[in-house]
Amino acid sequence: MNITHITKSVTTPTPTPAPASSPTSARTHADEYWKYWICQCAGWGSVAVLFTFSFSSFSPSNLGGLATIYAWSAICGSGLSHIWRGFLKQRGWLTIQHQPPWWRIAAVMLLLGTLQTLLVTLGFAVIRLPGSFSSWSWLPSALIAWTTLFIIWTTIYFYVASVRHTRQFQAEALRLEIYAKDAELRALQAQINPHFFFNSLNSVRALIYENPNAAAQMIDQLAGVMRYALQSGGVKMVKLTQEIEAVNAYLAIEKIRFEERLRVTVQIETGLDEVLIPPMILQALVENAVKYGVERSATGSDLRIRISRLTGMIHIEVANTGLIAQFGASCIAPVADSTRLGLDNTRKRLALMMGAEATVELREELIEKDRWVLAVIMLPDVLIKTNMTRDVKRDVAPYLASDVTTEKMT
């Protein structure tokens, strides 16, 4: 049996630890700080303009002096509210889970209103507008107005902080969910890969005394599949061509073992080379077909792999002659048998990675008077994009089996 070895140099990038403070995080913090000061200037500036024009009707000749005084009041308001913001963050009143100390906040509001009133009064004393201190009847109204403004400022700031914290919690929850799914995916893939290696080693063990040359050839093919499994273990998606090459290497191993009992046909629709699929998904189905279709039949089995594009989905079908009864009770349910575990893990991996759009189905059909067992996977049509990471794009060393009939479907 002739096996074509095509070796490609694969360089696995060395992961580098992430810096403690990423540039993106620092840039986001700076953007938020600038937005805060823009809002501060816009808010207090609007108050100054509103007060200036409101009181100018009482003294039109003193418009310049009023503008100066209320510009001073805007500066004082910005400074006091900024100090209040720092106090809120230092005390943790914006982040604590229990109810904030509202009575303390109310007391601070009154204190801030009083300080602001005194500072504005100082401004009037410096500018000395005519009639400013002829009567102090305006003082209670001024105190109420400035205290109300600080209450409004605090309410808005609490609302904005609450929205920001909610988004941060949601982002953190989503990040933890992604980490959990990634860990589960790796655990499921780790259950599938060793199962194939154990089966292959058993095949080598059976041949090592019976046919040493065939056993050596099988070890060579197994090394290629192991290389692919290790290199694809760190990525979530691989090109369909890479998965097909790994499956061909696996079939070459089983061809050495079963010889004429294993008859394989691979039909792949043109234009699917760049389609992305999860690694080792197709191999799990092919392994199932070999174990239950070929291994348990004295005359062997035909094995057919068909991959095509169907209504925006990628249709992957692995079929072998036989009966579902050979698989035991429904292979959809998780049972102790390791191959059925492989099918169940395949379903779980697809559900975690692609959601409800990805499906796995096992059924039996009558084709040309023969009973066939079909394992069908439907995946969303995902093509390789130029902006994908280098890990996803990297090639693996292909090991092709020349005895497997491969056809391109048009």
Side-chain angles (χ1 to χ4, degrees):
M1 180 175 179
N2 297 322
I3 305 294
T4 302
H5 297 271
I6 303 176
T7 305
K8 295 182 182 179
S9 177
V10 179
T11 303
T12 303
T14 303
T16 56
S21 180
S22 65
T24 302
S25 176
R27 185 166 54 251
T28 301
H29 180 73
D31 290 344
E32 290 181 354
Y33 193 71
W34 277 110
K35 289 178 182 177
Y36 161 75
W37 275 111
I38 290 173
C39 291
Q40 278 278 81
C41 294
W44 287 105
S46 299
V47 169
V49 171
L50 178 64
F51 278 18
T52 299
F53 284 100
S54 296
F55 292 104
S56 63
S57 59
F58 299 102
S59 182
S61 60
N62 296 319
L63 181 61
L66 286 172
T68 303
I69 292 172
Y70 286 115
W72 161 252
S73 71
I75 295 173
C76 295
S78 298
L80 289 174
S81 59
H82 183 65
I83 294 172
W84 171 228
R85 170 180 175 266
F87 183 82
L88 286 172
K89 296 177 71 174
Q90 182 182 10
R91 291 284 181 171
W93 289 354
L94 295 170
T95 56
I96 56 178
Q97 301 300 320
H98 56 78
Q99 187 175 3
W102 295 115
W103 66 272
R104 293 185 181 180
I105 293 176
V108 175
M109 294 296 95
L110 183 59
L111 174 62
L112 290 174
T114 303
L115 290 175
Q116 179 72 0
T117 303
L118 291 175
L119 290 170
V120 173
T121 302
L122 178 63
F124 274 100
V126 172
I127 299 297
R128 293 185 177 275
L129 293 179
S132 298
F133 297 99
S134 59
S135 173
W136 294 94
S137 59
W138 55 269
L139 191 59
S141 299
L143 179 61
I144 293 173
W146 291 118
T147 302
T148 302
L149 281 174
F150 278 105
I151 292 174
I152 294 172
W153 186 97
T154 304
T155 302
I156 294 174
Y157 189 75
F158 264 88
Y159 173 76
V160 173
S162 175
V163 171
R164 185 186 299 119
H165 291 156
T166 300
R167 289 177 179 174
Q168 290 176 349
F169 286 139
Q170 290 174 344
E172 185 65 22
L174 181 59
R175 191 156 43 244
L176 292 174
E177 183 180 355
I178 291 172
Y179 289 157
K181 285 188 175 183
D182 185 65
E184 186 174 354
L185 280 171
R186 291 182 180 276
L188 291 171
Q189 187 169 350
Q191 287 177 316
I192 293 175
N193 294 347
H195 170 65
F196 159 67
F197 297 144
F198 293 147
N199 280 356
S200 299
L201 290 174
N202 286 335
S203 300
V204 172
R205 180 177 177 275
L207 283 173
I208 201 165
Y209 298 110
E210 176 183 322
N211 190 339
N213 290 333
Q217 198 172 32
M218 183 180 287
I219 291 173
D220 190 34
Q221 293 290 335
L222 180 59
V225 179
M226 290 180 68
R227 183 179 295 108
Y228 169 78
L230 290 173
Q231 291 171 339
S232 64
V235 298
K236 294 182 179 179
M237 305 288 278
V238 296
K239 289 191 288 186
L240 178 62
T241 51
Q242 296 172 350
E243 183 79 358
I244 290 295
E245 289 164 1
V247 168
N248 283 345
Y250 165 76
L251 291 173
I253 294 173
E254 298 297 3
K255 186 71 176 178
I256 296 172
R257 178 185 176 193
F258 295 109
E259 298 179 343
E260 299 304 320
R261 291 171 59 196
L262 175 59
R263 301 173 294 276
V264 181
T265 302
V266 180
Q267 298 175 317
I268 305 175
E269 182 179 320
T270 56
L272 298 182
D273 293 346
E274 300 298 303
V275 167
L276 298 177
I277 65 172
M280 306 301 285
I281 287 291
L282 179 59
Q283 183 271 332
L285 298 187
V286 172
E287 180 188 346
N288 239 30
V290 170
K291 180 168 184 178
Y292 289 104
V294 181
E295 185 175 343
R296 297 192 177 188
S297 173
T299 59
S301 172
D302 293 314
L303 192 152
R304 184 185 68 203
I305 302 172
R306 300 182 64 182
I307 305 175
S308 60
R309 183 179 278 112
L310 183 64
T311 62
M313 303 287 286
I314 300 302
H315 178 271
I316 300 175
E317 176 185 293
V318 178
N320 64 276
T321 51
L323 301 171
I324 287 184
Q326 291 176 254
F327 289 74
S330 175
C331 292
I332 303 302
V335 291
D337 185 271
S338 57
T339 299
R340 290 179 234 169
L341 175 64
L343 280 178
D344 187 59
N345 284 349
T346 298
R347 178 174 296 98
K348 289 181 179 179
R349 288 180 63 202
L350 291 178
L352 286 170
M353 295 183 69
M354 298 183 172
E357 289 186 353
T359 60
V360 180
E361 180 187 4
L362 187 68
R363 65 175 184 264
E364 186 179 309
E365 289 185 3
L366 179 62
I367 304 175
E368 297 178 355
K369 299 182 180 180
D370 291 326
R371 306 298 299 185
W372 286 74
V373 176
L374 285 74
V376 180
I377 291 180
M378 298 293 288
L379 300 175
D381 190 352
V382 181
L383 293 175
I384 247 189
K385 295 179 174 60
T386 55
N387 61 347
M388 299 193 73
T389 61
R390 180 173 55 185
D391 286 343
V392 174
K393 287 183 176 179
R394 69 188 182 193
D395 293 327
V396 297
Y399 287 78
L400 305 178
S402 59
D403 281 6
V404 176
T405 303
T406 305
E407 302 175 3
K408 287 289 184 179
M409 299 169 61
T410 58

